[in-house]
Amino acid sequence: TLHLIDKNILSKPTLYLSDFFARHKGSYYDALTAVRHSSNIEHWILFFLSGVIETSKRSKETFQKIIKLREESESLIVSLGSRAKNGSELLRYLYSKPLIDIAEVAKHLGITPPTAAKLASSFEKLGILKEISGYKRNKMYSFDKYIQIFY
């Protein structure tokens, strides 16, 4: 991954190969053993490249799901009328912080807590956010559809 970043093929470390190695632990150790016992580096390289291919495909699928979710969410936000601008900004923020409370929304958008609560409530009605605390005050919200993409 770092080599791909160095060669400007990737701009960020989006290939998480460790997950592939963890899921194929037996094959991973077999490939290492083959190199150690018979100097069969080709077997290791083929195993490693299969990990790059599988991880790349999974990453591409994940990115496609994120893009689809973003498009769906943005089309819903348009219905907020005068709050659509703040709604768009909140949506962008949710991709970096998918669990939020009203105070964070208010601080990030530079709006009052009551205005933030109304916006969060609108997001909940649109199905973008899910209230997860169960409280009437100090509510916590989850950008659940985004989080579920990674599971």
Side-chain angles (χ1 to χ4, degrees), residues 45-107:
I45 291 171
L46 291 173
F47 173 73
F48 183 82
L49 290 176
S50 69
V52 171
I53 290 167
E54 182 181 311
T55 302
S56 297
K57 287 178 181 176
R58 291 181 74 173
S59 295
K60 180 182 175 189
E61 291 169 5
T62 299
F63 289 137
Q64 288 171 333
K65 289 176 185 176
I66 292 169
I67 289 167
K68 182 180 179 196
L69 176 61
R70 188 192 74 214
E71 290 170 351
E72 290 170 354
S73 299
E74 286 174 349
S75 69
L76 293 170
I77 289 172
V78 171
S79 70
L80 296 176
S82 62
R83 291 179 292 160
K85 182 179 178 189
N86 278 338
S88 292
E89 180 58 35
L90 176 56
L91 181 64
R92 278 191 293 280
Y93 183 61
L94 289 171
Y95 286 101
S96 62
K97 185 103 173 40
L99 298 172
I100 58 165
D101 62 25
I102 300 302
E104 289 174 288
V105 173
K107 182 179 178 183

Side-chain angles (χ1 to χ4, degrees), residues 61-63 65-66 69 144-151:
E61 291 169 5
T62 299
F63 289 137
K65 289 176 185 176
I66 292 169
L69 176 61
D144 203 50
K145 290 178 183 176
Y146 177 65
I147 294 169
Q148 291 307 312
I149 288 173
F150 299 96
Y151 294 100

Side-chain angles (χ1 to χ4, degrees), residues 2-14:
L2 295 176
H3 177 72
L4 294 172
I5 291 170
D6 183 57
K7 297 299 179 189
N8 293 320
I9 294 170
L10 292 176
S11 60
K12 294 184 179 181
T14 54

Side-chain angles (χ1 to χ4, degrees), residues 17-34 36 43-44 47 50-51 54:
L17 292 168
S18 298
D19 178 60
F20 174 82
F21 294 142
R23 287 184 291 106
H24 298 89
K25 196 178 289 186
S27 298
Y28 172 79
Y29 288 118
D30 289 347
L32 287 176
T33 300
R36 190 169 11 131
H43 180 69
W44 167 253
F47 173 73
S50 69
E54 182 181 311

